[in-house]
């Protein structure tokens, strides 16, 4: 079955970087976008961006531009999300989620009819001095 | 930026029908979806493209979207449906989530 397994919890100091991994199995890795969504403790969901594993193209939410990098490793079927210059208010669970529907256009990113299904188990990133 | 507004909480008695709303400017012109999240778990897609149910989601979950409001309806609500529910839509190439609604079954 389709499964996304994320890396373990991290504790980082303010100003540091964190890199979270998301290993996919149970489907053709290059055929589905992967999204990253975060959730601060007791708060709602916030979309961070998307990567097309087929060609590595990405789209990030403007507020994260310059601080977030999403990459993929085709050999290990793993997607990574790195967030730099962490702040204490960015303590959150970071989730990866696969697009429900297969990519129609192999290159680039097309959004607007994307549904997040399934999700990884989440990675708690704690930012504290 | 685009905003989706949900009521913070909704209560329903077991076996009754629960309705959770999600409001946004001209939301009916976009596609809406809904996620269920139980404590300590990842979100689960329960409705997509306004009214479609993924496989494995019970038929008691249904959705609609018109005008400025999308609605998640749970018919014959069960204790296991107690959870937080989030709506989501796309605006200007960005995924936007509602603030979430805590559904209490009592």
């Amino acid at each position: 079955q389709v499964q996304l397994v994320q890396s373990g919890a991290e504790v980082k100091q303010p100003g540091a970087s964190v890199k979270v991994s998301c290993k996919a199995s149970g489907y053709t890795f290059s055929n589905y976008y992967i999204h990253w969504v975060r959730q601060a403790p007791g708060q709602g969901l916030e979309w961070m961006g998307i990567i097309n594993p087929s060609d590595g193209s990405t789209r990030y939410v403007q507020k994260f531009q310059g601080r977030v990098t999403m990459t993929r490793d085709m050999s290990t079927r793993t997607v990574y999300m790195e967030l730099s210059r962490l702040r204490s208010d960015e303590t959150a669970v970071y989730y990866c989620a696969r697009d429900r529907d297969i990519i129609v256009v192999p290159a680039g990113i097309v959004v607007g009819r994307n549904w997040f299904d399934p999700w990884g188990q989440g990675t708690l990133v704690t930012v504290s001095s | 930026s685009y905003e989706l507004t949900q009521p913070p909480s909704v209560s329903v008695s077991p076996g009754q029908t629960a309705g959770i709303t999600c409001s946004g400017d001209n939301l009916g012109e976009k596609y809406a979806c809904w996620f269920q999240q139980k404590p300590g778990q990842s979100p689960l897609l329960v409705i997509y493209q306004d009214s479609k149910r993924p496989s494995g989601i019970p038929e008691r979950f249904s959705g609609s979207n018109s005008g400025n409001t999308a609605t998640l309806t749970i018919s014959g609500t069960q204790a296991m449906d107690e959870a937080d529910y989030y709506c989501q839509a796309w605006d200007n190439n960005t995924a936007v989530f509602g603030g979430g609604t805590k559904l209490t079954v009592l």
Side-chain angles (χ1 to χ4, degrees):
Chain A
Q1 77 281 21
V2 176
Q3 199 170 12
L4 300 175
V5 178
Q6 299 184 222
S7 48
E10 302 260 15
V11 178
K12 297 293 182 181
Q13 291 195 333
S17 298
V18 68
K19 191 171 186 177
V20 180
S21 67
C22 171
K23 185 173 177 60
S25 62
Y27 69 96
T28 301
F29 179 65
S30 59
N31 283 359
Y32 296 83
Y33 298 141
I34 294 287
H35 303 262
W36 287 91
V37 178
R38 72 179 184 180
Q39 184 173 37
Q43 302 300 309
L45 302 167
E46 180 179 29
W47 185 69
M48 299 179 68
I50 181 176
I51 182 168
N52 179 346
S54 177
D55 67 351
S57 56
T58 56
R59 176 172 290 170
Y60 307 135
V61 172
Q62 188 171 6
K63 70 179 284 187
F64 299 112
Q65 289 277 3
R67 288 203 302 135
V68 70
T69 304
M70 297 176 189
T71 56
R72 92 294 192 210
D73 183 334
M74 300 293 286
S75 66
T76 60
R77 303 164 55 89
T78 302
V79 171
Y80 298 91
M81 187 283 298
E82 184 170 21
L83 187 61
S84 63
R85 302 195 299 276
L86 289 164
R87 303 187 306 264
S88 56
D89 64 354
E90 294 188 296
T91 292
V93 176
Y94 289 75
Y95 293 102
C96 62
R98 199 198 75 169
D99 226 60
R100 185 182 185 279
D101 295 329
I102 196 168
I103 296 173
V104 176
V105 179
I109 301 279
V110 178
V111 296
R113 290 184 57 164
N114 310 76
W115 324 112
F116 308 149
D117 181 36
W119 296 55
Q121 85 275 19
T123 297
L124 175 61
V125 176
T126 302
V127 184
S128 173
S129 55
Chain B
S1 61
Y2 194 76
E3 293 186 356
L4 294 173
T5 301
Q6 300 180 233
S9 63
V10 169
S11 297
V12 63
S13 299
Q16 298 304 302
T17 296
I20 300 174
T21 59
C22 172
S23 300
D25 286 345
N26 298 312
L27 179 57
E29 297 178 5
K30 311 175 191 297
Y31 282 123
C33 68
W34 292 89
F35 298 93
Q36 176 194 70
Q37 187 178 34
K38 296 181 179 179
Q41 296 185 16
S42 303
L44 173 70
L45 181 70
V46 294
I47 293 290
Y48 69 100
Q49 203 167 319
D50 293 341
S51 58
K52 296 184 177 181
R53 270 181 298 104
S55 62
I57 301 302
E59 290 185 9
R60 63 180 181 273
F61 288 86
S62 63
S64 63
N65 185 15
S66 179
N68 295 320
T69 304
T71 303
L72 173 69
T73 302
I74 310 172
S75 305
T77 307
Q78 300 183 9
M80 68 173 64
D81 300 330
E82 187 164 286
D84 293 327
Y85 290 85
Y86 295 90
C87 62
Q88 182 255 312
W90 287 89
D91 178 75
N92 196 25
N93 296 321
T94 300
V96 179
F97 289 92
T101 298
K102 181 175 181 58
L103 177 68
T104 301
V105 182
L106 42 66

